[in-house]
Every structure is written in C-alpha cells, then in structure tokens.
C-alpha cells in the first residue's frame, strides 16, 4: 500500500495504490497555494490507506521548486509519524495520458533555455540536456511525438503532447522496482530535481565612507 503525491506542477495529484488497484485519487489546481490545498485530500488519502501504508512516493520534478518542497515536507512528516519509508521519483515518468514506454520530453528551464529529456521504461535517463531555444526547436522537429509537462507548450510548439504528472502512476512505477533498488532509494534524502546548480547572489560590500 503506497501513498503518492506530486506537486511539481500547478496540477496537484494524490493517490493511494495497492498493486494495480487505485484505492484513492484526488487532484486540484493551484498556481501558488499547494500548501493551502494539499492537506484536506492528504488526510483523506491517509484514511484510505489506514494501517496498511508501507511507503510514500513523491514526484521530485523537475518543476515547481516550492511545490516539490511542500511534497517533501509532507512525505517526511508522514514517514516519521507512520513509521514508513519515503522516496522520490521523477515526475516526468508518470504522465496522466496514454504514452509509449519510451518518449522524449521538452520543458522550460528558465533564462531562455529549455531541457530535453528521455524516458525509457518508467525511468528518466540521466542525460538531460539544457539547450537554447533554437536548438530546442531544431531537435523537436525530428518527427517523434514529444511530450511536455509544462502548463503552456514551450516555444508555442503546437506539435507537443501535453501531460501532467499522475500520482497513481508514480506509485505503480515505484512499487514495481526491484527490492534492492527500492532499498537504495529509501536510504537517499528527498531532494528536488534541480535543472541547474543553485544560483547565489552575494551581497555587495557597502562603500567605505571618507572617514572610514
């Protein structure tokens, strides 16, 4: 019995899954207030799971940094209070639309750049490219069906297939992992999927006065 939640986009998704059976599913739309909307359906999800809950899965993005951090905090709180494990898995592997086992993805990486990624059999490949707008246009014109998890298609491309993360699908992927891989994941900290290194602006030193 797994509880999964994904808050990496404006579309929040929560589910409770046991095997192929989805016991609870809820979703909500939120631009900037996941923290105000997630806890009511989360209480319902915990009630649906009852004492059989074994673990918590979160979609760790890429996407909304704030949303993913809220999901991490909620998962850690549940894990501590219920004595269960929690793991993160890429949100991009769990579309809410029918998709092949393998597909390419494009998303907005901010600062006039875009990420290009590939999902293979429920796994996000580690080679994720950050490219310019021109290169993104060129590479998505390869005849494949490209997916995007962005609310608006990047670059205004009309050929993209839009999708959103589905928490039930996320849980089903994780529950199918080999036992040794799941054990390794549970030992790792929950962190958002960063597209770039953190950018830190250092404060400027105040100018010295003539009398200093």
């Amino acid at each position: 019995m797994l509880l999964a939640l994904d808050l990496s986009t404006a579309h929040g998704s929560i589910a409770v899954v046991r095997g192929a059976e989805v016991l609870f599913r809820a979703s909500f739309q939120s631009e900037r207030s996941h923290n105000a909307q997630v806890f009511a359906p989360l209480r319902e999800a915990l009630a649906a799971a009852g004492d059989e809950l074994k673990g918590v899965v979160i979609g760790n993005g890429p996407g909304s940094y704030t949303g993913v951090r809220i999901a991490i905090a909620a998962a850690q709180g549940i894990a501590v209070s219920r004595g269960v494990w929690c793991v993160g898995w890429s949100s991009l592997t769990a579309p809410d639309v029918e998709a092949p086992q393998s597909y390419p993805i494009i998303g907005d990486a901010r600062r006039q750049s875009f990420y290009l990624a590939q999902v293979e059999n429920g796994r996000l490949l580690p080679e994720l490219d950050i490219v310019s707008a021109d290169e993104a246009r060129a590479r998505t014109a390869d005849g494949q069906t490209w997916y995007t998890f962005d609310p608006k298609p990047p670059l205004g491309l009309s050929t993209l297939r839009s999708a959103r993360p589905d928490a039930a699908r996320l849980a089903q992927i994780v529950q199918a992992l080999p036992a040794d891989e799941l054990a390794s994941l549970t030992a790792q900290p929950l962190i958002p999927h960063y597209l770039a290194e953190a950018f830190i602006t250092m404060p400027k030193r105040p100018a010295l006065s003539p009398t200093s």
Side-chain angles (χ1 to χ4, degrees), residues 90-189:
S90 174
S91 304
L92 301 179
T93 64
D96 64 348
V97 299
E98 186 175 349
Q101 288 295 309
S102 302
Y103 52 89
I105 314 161
I106 179 175
D108 190 349
R110 310 303 181 203
R111 298 183 185 177
Q112 293 78 52
S113 62
F114 300 84
Y115 69 81
L116 305 180
Q118 180 75 28
V119 168
E120 296 282 353
N121 299 315
R123 298 173 183 271
L124 183 67
L125 298 188
E127 295 83 9
L128 187 149
D129 293 334
I130 306 296
V131 302
S132 67
D134 288 343
E135 184 172 351
R137 286 193 182 93
R139 290 176 59 176
T140 54
D142 60 358
Q144 295 188 79
T145 299
W146 282 72
Y147 288 73
T148 184
F149 283 61
D150 290 359
K152 295 181 180 179
L155 300 169
L157 296 171
S158 60
T159 56
L160 303 179
R161 185 164 190 200
S162 295
R164 298 177 300 194
D166 178 64
R169 176 65 184 137
L170 201 66
Q172 289 165 345
I173 292 171
V174 169
Q175 73 178 358
L177 294 176
D180 57 344
E181 183 176 1
L182 182 58
S184 176
L185 279 176
T186 60
Q188 298 175 19

Side-chain angles (χ1 to χ4, degrees), residues 7-21:
L7 308 180
S8 64
T9 71
H11 177 82
S13 178
I14 302 175
V16 175
V17 169
R18 180 173 56 201
E21 186 180 8

